[in-house]
Amino acid sequence: MIQAFGLTSNPRKDTPPAVDDISFEARAGHVTALLGGPGAGKTTALRLMLELQQGRGITYFRGRPLHRISHPSREVGVLLGDVPGHPARTVRGHLRMLCAAAGVPVRRADEVLEVVGLVSLREERLGTLSRGMDRRLGLACVLLSDPHTLVLDDPADGLSVRETRWLQGMLRAHAAQGGTVLITAGDPKEVAHSADRVVSLDKGKVVADQAAADFARTRLRPRVAVRSPHAARLAALLAKEARADRRSVEVVREGGNRLSVYGGTCADVGETAFRHGILVHQLADEVGDMGPGAGTEPDTAAASAAAMQGDADGAPAAGAEPERSGLVGSPRPAVTAGSSSAAGSAATTRPGPPSGQRKRVGAPRTLDALPALPPPISVRSAPSPLRPLRYEIRRATGIGTGFLIAATVLVVSVVTAVLLARIGHTPQARLLAAWPQQVPLPPAALGAGLIGALAFGDEFRHPALAADRGTVPRRLGLLAAKLLVTAATALALAVLAIGCDAEMLYLVYGRELTQVPADWFPAGASWLGLVIGCAWAGVLAAGVFRSTTAGLAAVLAVPVVVVPLVHKAFEGPSVRTAAGFPLRVREVLLVQWPFGGERYLVAVARVLAQPVGSALALSVTVLLCAYLFTTLRTRLR
């Protein structure tokens, strides 16, 4: 169950808080609804409960606050707004990626797709889904980890009647299996259909906390909707006859030519209009919304209407109170059902199972056959180091952006190498890397930096991992997985670029330009270090600044800003130099490394001694420290 105590948002300047001391309970086995109009504080209350917004108060999910739960997505399934995900990713690929992040079997994606009815659309892109299909996908994402509690913000917003009934059946089926469901809504009639308990909010405060049956009796009252060009005259006559017959009837002027008659029937209104020769354009049974505070005093629902003083044309007598007259000058909002059958179904709700008792309730009859919920799954609580790695691999390969960047880089690299060979005066190492001296970075390094920047930038543009908490997590396991995958991608891109450049130079100009340089080992190490360092700089900068553009800017800043500074520091006046460094390394290590390992260590030291290598190492170290600092600060908060 959910227990919320004293939820209060922080006020802004002189305005009152959007949510002020809200407390309520959402029991297991029940569907609980937070009801209120725009600005009532429904979404703010959810964000305070999920610790996404600063404020006061605390919320317990089965006795524990959310920050004390090791895996929040397995306890609470959250859907706030649309489904966060890359528009080019397929429905099935998106769910399989989330399965890897949550540590659940991949077959779970197919199970929830079958439950929500998206099997036929599993290869569709997220950007092509309609509003209803997006809601179904959001529910599938919520059900992936088999959570006990569902927290949904206005899940039926924008849905058709058919889709709304399907969603209500799914939520009620989850509650029937013992789960807790908390939703927000703005339509009282919809809440009467779907909820077992209704918490009404108005201006950030709880004005009523009722069972659905009490809510329907005190706030949703049956009424007769009347449209007539002589609405004022008809209202006066209805009130006069009700006073004469001592009947409890209230006539409310909704505005224009519309009346709402509470306590009467269509037959009574029609007979009155017929006897006095009044033309009627509409006469129908509806369900009226009595306002957010109607549930605070249940006895007021049966209050009788005061007699209305008026003459033949319906003018009220002097001294009559407007709220008791039955003829109100300002319109009162109404929720229409369209027929008497709809009114009856709205006023009759099904109470949830009693507390502490699980009750199996069959799925309600809808236009679509409602399948059973996906079977429960058992997830090992022990963290797996391969889980973020599997997620990152599925994230990187699920869309074609990385492959398109790699193909573009190879084409540009090949064309640049051919043009440089044609012009001449380019060293062999730079020719094979397609790196003109006028350009700060070669195409392969720029492409690797862009792929690295997208690795974290897409998390903030399309935050798939933010579905459970609303923010992109700053976990070291996720960072390590991104660094490993981008390093492997950059390594493959660097090797392919050299291979494609050498092959094209051989085809165009012959074997002369494809000879391996004598210092191939340090040159190759420098090349691989440059490409991987650019990729890592993009990942870390995008993770720190939460932007792909910032990640790519950090990659370009290394050769443009950092390298000149490091070069100037190395060329400055110095008393001592690093002469004899290899000999001193051998003396310090004492023991000879197998297979000449000291040679590789010396080669790495020489690479780092270069301005580009030292600048990259410095930039990556600074960005890594900044990322660790932001991670620790987030955890402390």
Side-chain angles (χ1 to χ4, degrees):
M1 64 183 300
I2 302 176
Q3 296 172 303
F5 300 102
L7 298 180
T8 304
S9 61
N10 293 333
R12 296 181 178 179
K13 297 182 179 179
D14 297 332
T15 60
V19 170
D20 188 8
D21 195 20
I22 288 182
S23 301
F24 65 92
E25 287 186 359
R27 298 181 180 179
H30 291 71
V31 178
T32 305
L34 295 180
L35 176 65
K42 306 183 301 294
T43 303
T44 304
L46 293 188
R47 294 182 62 85
L48 289 172
M49 293 170 55
L50 300 172
E51 301 176 0
L52 303 179
Q53 184 171 332
Q54 297 293 328
R56 298 187 299 275
I58 191 169
T59 303
Y60 292 104
F61 296 89
R62 290 205 290 182
R64 293 180 297 171
L66 197 61
H67 62 271
R68 296 291 185 183
I69 301 175
S70 57
H71 299 286
S73 61
R74 299 177 189 173
E75 175 66 28
V76 184
V78 179
L79 179 60
L80 304 176
D82 296 334
V83 177
H86 199 287
R89 201 179 303 278
T90 63
V91 171
R92 188 168 183 261
H94 182 75
L95 290 176
R96 289 169 66 90
M97 179 185 68
L98 294 182
C99 285
V104 300
V106 180
R107 66 177 182 275
R108 183 71 174 179
D110 297 324
E111 293 175 357
V112 296
L113 281 177
E114 184 177 357
V115 168
V116 300
L118 290 180
V119 175
S120 59
L121 301 179
R122 58 185 177 184
E123 299 302 328
E124 293 292 328
R125 307 290 178 180
L126 298 186
T128 63
L129 296 180
S130 64
R131 176 67 175 177
M133 297 301 104
D134 184 83
R135 293 278 97 181
R136 293 190 180 219
L137 178 59
L139 189 58
C141 297
V142 169
L143 295 175
L144 268 181
S145 301
D146 193 21
H148 175 270
T149 303
L150 301 184
V151 178
L152 311 177
D153 186 17
D154 206 356
D157 180 31
L159 299 186
S160 64
V161 176
R162 183 190 188 101
E163 293 165 339
T164 300
R165 291 179 181 175
W166 174 88
L167 179 63
Q168 291 172 355
M170 289 293 296
L171 298 181
R172 191 164 290 280
H174 182 82
Q177 293 187 357
T180 304
V181 179
L182 177 64
I183 64 173
T184 65
D187 188 350
K189 193 182 68 174
E190 173 195 335
V191 168
H193 273 289
S194 59
D196 300 314
R197 190 161 193 87
V198 182
V199 181
S200 300
L201 302 180
D202 186 30
K203 297 180 181 179
K205 295 180 178 294
V206 176
V207 295
D209 189 349
Q210 308 165 280
D214 296 334
F215 170 79
R217 185 179 68 252
T218 57
R219 179 163 176 180
L220 296 180
R221 292 176 58 192
R223 69 184 180 187
V224 178
V226 185
R227 290 184 184 274
S228 172
H230 307 287
R233 181 184 172 198
L234 180 59
L237 292 172
L238 290 172
K240 183 178 180 180
E241 292 185 359
R243 182 176 64 252
D245 298 339
R246 297 183 180 276
R247 290 185 289 113
S248 176
V249 176
E250 180 183 2
V251 182
V252 179
R253 182 77 176 272
E254 300 289 354
N257 61 352
R258 179 182 173 88
L259 297 177
S260 293
V261 182
Y262 296 91
T265 63
C266 287
D268 295 337
V269 176
E271 290 176 0
T272 301
F274 177 77
R275 284 196 305 267
H276 296 85
I278 298 177
L279 179 65
V280 176
H281 291 162
Q282 181 191 11
L283 194 62
D285 289 325
E286 292 183 348
V287 174
D289 179 17
M290 299 306 296
T296 57
E297 296 179 3
D299 294 336
T300 61
S304 61
M308 185 182 78
Q309 305 293 332
D311 52 12
D313 58 359
E321 298 180 2
E323 64 272 10
R324 292 294 183 182
S325 65
L327 180 60
V328 181
S330 59
R332 179 181 293 181
V335 180
T336 61
S339 65
S340 59
S341 62
S345 63
T348 304
T349 58
R350 295 168 297 177
S355 177
Q357 178 181 357
R358 297 184 60 177
K359 180 179 178 182
R360 299 288 298 184
V361 180
R365 294 182 180 179
T366 60
L367 298 179
D368 292 334
L370 183 64
L373 289 177
I377 56 175
S378 58
V379 183
R380 292 181 301 176
S381 59
S384 172
L386 297 180
R387 191 175 65 198
L389 184 61
R390 286 196 296 265
Y391 162 79
E392 181 59 24
I393 293 175
R394 293 189 184 279
R395 186 209 62 81
T397 58
I399 56 177
T401 304
F403 300 101
L404 180 61
I405 293 175
T408 303
V409 164
L410 294 179
V411 172
V412 173
S413 182
V414 166
V415 173
T416 304
V418 171
L419 293 178
L420 288 177
R422 180 181 179 84
I423 296 173
H425 308 292
T426 302
Q428 184 69 13
R430 282 183 170 266
L431 183 62
L432 291 176
W435 189 358
Q437 295 183 357
Q438 297 80 9
V439 179
L441 287 174
L446 284 174
L450 179 58
I451 291 175
L454 287 173
F456 239 129
D458 280 348
E459 297 288 357
F460 296 96
R461 292 172 57 202
H462 313 288
L465 289 183
D468 57 344
R469 297 294 299 276
T471 56
V472 178
R474 293 181 177 274
R475 293 194 292 264
L476 297 183
L478 181 63
L479 175 64
K482 289 186 179 296
L483 293 178
L484 184 59
V485 172
T486 53
T489 305
L491 182 63
L493 188 60
V495 174
L496 287 176
I498 293 293
C500 292
D501 293 346
E503 185 67 21
M504 185 56 66
L505 290 175
Y506 172 75
L507 292 176
V508 177
Y509 300 108
R511 190 178 299 275
E512 179 183 358
L513 296 179
T514 59
Q515 295 180 358
V516 179
D519 56 343
W520 65 271
F521 182 78
S526 300
W527 169 247
L528 296 180
L530 174 67
V531 178
I532 295 176
C534 288
W536 283 0
V539 171
L540 293 170
V544 171
F545 300 106
R546 304 185 179 186
S547 171
T548 301
T549 305
L552 187 59
V555 174
L556 293 175
V558 172
V560 176
V561 178
V562 183
V563 169
L565 294 177
V566 175
H567 188 69
K568 183 178 295 186
F570 282 174
E571 287 186 348
S574 61
V575 178
R576 296 179 178 85
T577 62
F581 177 74
L583 181 60
R584 288 193 294 274
V585 168
R586 293 190 181 93
E587 292 177 355
V588 170
L589 295 179
L590 295 178
V591 181
Q592 295 292 327
W593 286 32
F595 307 105
E598 68 276 2
R599 288 190 304 141
Y600 302 102
L601 183 61
V602 172
V604 171
R606 289 178 178 174
V607 170
L608 293 178
Q610 298 176 3
V612 176
S614 57
L616 266 177
L618 178 63
S619 301
V620 170
T621 302
V622 171
L623 291 173
L624 181 59
C625 293
Y627 186 88
L628 295 177
F629 173 75
T630 53
T631 302
L632 294 176
R633 185 179 62 178
T634 303
R635 291 184 178 180
L636 290 176
R637 285 182 177 177

